[in-house]
Amino acid sequence: MRWADIATVAAVVRTGSFLAAARELGVRHSSISRRIAAIEEDVGETLFVRGRRLAATALARDIERHAADMAVAARRVDATLAERRARRAAEVVITTNDVLAVLLFRALARAEISARIRVVVSDEQRDLEPGRTDLALRPTGAPLRSWRGRRLGVLAVAVFRPRAQATDPGWVFPAGELRGRATTRWLRAVPKDGPGPIECDRILATRDACAAGLGRAVLPAFLGLDDPRLELIERVDDGIPVWLFVAGSRRAPDAVRLVADRLASALRGQRGVWA
């Protein structure tokens, strides 16, 4: 049975007449009568015994009890949706990875954004679900087909070494999985057969290992240029495009679009970041 049919039966049981049910539902008395007759024809059983007084059958009373439970559930759903709308209106959720989070925080400090921002640092695909996340700062292409984005630029990449170190300990090597990612193809500038005492599976750990004197490292330029522990040796001509994506195929809320516009401007305006 459709919900409209269940609600009609429940109203007649509750009020005790077609006329009262019609008033409650805001329809004509004749519409209720025809609707009940059609429902009875559909289910193949009598729901109301017509006479001097309308009498609900056991089946009609069972339907009314289920309708009451469904109404409670519907109110809970409405409350959940209202709470979700209020929460989503109060904040904009942005997800990014740990490296680009550095850029994101710098941009947020410069952009004039009044909305409350919640940052989710994650590489997980599930964290890009529309309705769960509003914006995503990501390297290379769109994470999902439904996401719409703008290209911010290509990350500048460079080779760094520990500042004022007399000896050359070799390289800080990227772990195999890290080197093999399409989003970190610039790590191929690190020779596989070169000397070096350590291997790291995260970019930020690679930077800190380099700063500790464990070897040269290939890094996004912005991670090394502002770090007094590091010294730039040479640029690498193999950066990666960075995009700011908006969740979903539908038009984003005004608050989200405003944050996206101001954030994109602040990200593009950072010096030493883009090739």
Side-chain angles (χ1 to χ4, degrees), residues 58-112:
L59 176 57
R61 293 192 297 272
D62 283 343
I63 292 173
E64 194 277 333
R65 281 193 292 271
H66 288 304
D69 293 339
M70 293 170 69
V72 171
R75 286 193 292 271
R76 288 174 179 167
V77 171
D78 285 342
T80 298
L81 291 175
E83 179 184 355
R84 183 182 181 88
R85 282 192 293 268
R87 185 175 66 251
R88 300 291 288 140
E91 67 179 11
V92 175
V93 182
I94 307 173
T95 185
T96 190
N97 60 32
D98 55 354
V99 174
L100 295 181
V102 177
L103 288 184
L104 174 61
F105 295 138
R106 291 180 186 176
L108 288 172
R110 296 177 56 188
E112 295 181 359

Side-chain angles (χ1 to χ4, degrees), residues 151-157 185 238-242 273-275:
R151 192 175 188 264
L152 301 176
V154 176
L155 279 183
V157 178
R185 62 172 183 256
D238 196 17
I240 204 78
V242 175
V273 171
W274 311 107

Side-chain angles (χ1 to χ4, degrees), residues 126-142:
R126 62 181 177 80
D127 289 324
L128 298 173
E129 177 185 339
R132 183 173 185 167
T133 305
D134 298 303
L135 301 173
L137 182 63
R138 284 284 191 264
T140 68

Side-chain angles (χ1 to χ4, degrees), residues 22-206:
R23 289 171 179 164
E24 180 178 297
L25 298 176
V27 298
R28 294 176 179 271
H29 168 267
S30 57
S31 296
I32 292 292
S33 180
R34 287 195 302 271
R35 193 179 298 175
I36 291 297
I39 295 170
E40 290 177 326
E41 179 69 22
D42 188 51
V43 300
E45 292 193 38
T46 298
L47 296 174
F48 298 95
V49 179
R50 282 76 164 170
R52 294 184 61 185
R53 293 178 61 87
L54 192 68
T57 64
L59 176 57
R61 293 192 297 272
D62 283 343
I63 292 173
E64 194 277 333
R65 281 193 292 271
H66 288 304
D69 293 339
M70 293 170 69
V72 171
R75 286 193 292 271
R76 288 174 179 167
V77 171
D78 285 342
T80 298
L81 291 175
E83 179 184 355
R84 183 182 181 88
R85 282 192 293 268
R87 185 175 66 251
R88 300 291 288 140
E91 67 179 11
V92 175
V93 182
I94 307 173
T95 185
T96 190
N97 60 32
D98 55 354
V99 174
L100 295 181
V102 177
L103 288 184
L104 174 61
F105 295 138
R106 291 180 186 176
L108 288 172
R110 296 177 56 188
E112 295 181 359
I113 295 174
S114 59
R116 180 181 177 87
I117 304 297
R118 180 157 60 92
V119 176
V120 178
V121 179
S122 173
D123 292 315
E124 294 293 330
Q125 191 80 346
R126 62 181 177 80
D127 289 324
L128 298 173
E129 177 185 339
R132 183 173 185 167
T133 305
D134 298 303
L135 301 173
L137 182 63
R138 284 284 191 264
T140 68
L144 298 171
R145 288 185 178 179
S146 61
W147 285 65
R148 295 167 290 112
R150 62 188 81 182
R151 192 175 188 264
L152 301 176
V154 176
L155 279 183
V157 178
V159 180
F160 291 88
R161 68 183 177 192
R163 187 173 294 277
Q165 186 173 28
T167 59
D168 181 8
W171 292 91
V172 177
F173 291 104
E177 180 184 356
L178 185 60
R179 185 192 290 266
R181 293 177 187 169
T183 55
T184 53
R185 62 172 183 256
W186 38 271
L187 287 171
R188 296 168 191 165
V190 179
K192 290 185 177 181
D193 56 354
I198 192 168
E199 177 180 287
C200 293
D201 67 349
R202 306 293 290 185
I203 300 301
L204 295 182
T206 299

